[in-house]
Amino acid sequence: MKRADPRTAPQLKLRLPSGLKERIEACAEAAMRPLSSEIIRRLEWSFRAEEQGHIMDDEADASSIEQRLHDAEMQIELLIGMIHSLSKRLTKLDGIKE
């Protein structure tokens, strides 16, 4: 994404929790970037991740987890049924061999 000229780019006054501000400052310092560049980089990353489906809102995430849990429970029930069926067959085979 092409960045606007810093002298003409819109400005935003933003309040951040102190812990978050300290984390962003530390990351910017470690990457040797200005604070505003670090914030822009992280915002752009989050939008790309969201567009690619890597970030979901809490409700969608919970719904997805519930669906996967339900699917897993159904598969477990199916496997239990198959185990019981195989167990009965083995029991019959054991009776035939004797």
Side-chain angles (χ1 to χ4, degrees):
M1 172 181 275
K2 195 170 191 173
R3 295 217 168 94
D5 181 345
R7 298 168 294 203
T8 60
Q11 294 185 3
L12 174 68
K13 187 173 185 174
L14 180 66
R15 294 181 197 273
L16 296 172
S18 61
L20 181 57
K21 182 176 184 279
E22 291 164 1
R23 287 178 66 191
I24 294 172
E25 287 173 335
C27 290
E29 185 177 330
M32 299 180 356
R33 280 191 275 271
L35 181 60
S36 60
S37 294
E38 183 68 19
I39 292 169
I40 290 167
R41 183 179 144 283
R42 288 177 178 267
L43 285 171
E44 287 175 344
W45 174 87
S46 71
F47 284 121
R48 277 194 309 274
E50 187 176 65
E51 288 165 1
Q52 295 171 1
H54 298 298
I55 297 177
M56 294 189 282
D57 61 41
D58 290 341
E59 188 174 319
D61 198 24
S63 177
S64 174
I65 290 169
E66 287 175 2
Q67 183 61 47
R68 291 190 340 231
L69 178 60
H70 175 73
D71 292 346
E73 289 171 341
M74 295 301 289
Q75 288 177 349
I76 289 169
E77 286 182 33
L78 179 64
L79 289 170
I80 289 171
M82 292 170 71
I83 289 169
H84 285 297
S85 177
L86 288 171
S87 177
K88 287 180 184 178
R89 285 182 170 177
L90 286 172
T91 302
K92 286 180 183 178
L93 288 174
D94 281 344
I96 293 172
K97 287 181 180 179
E98 294 176 7

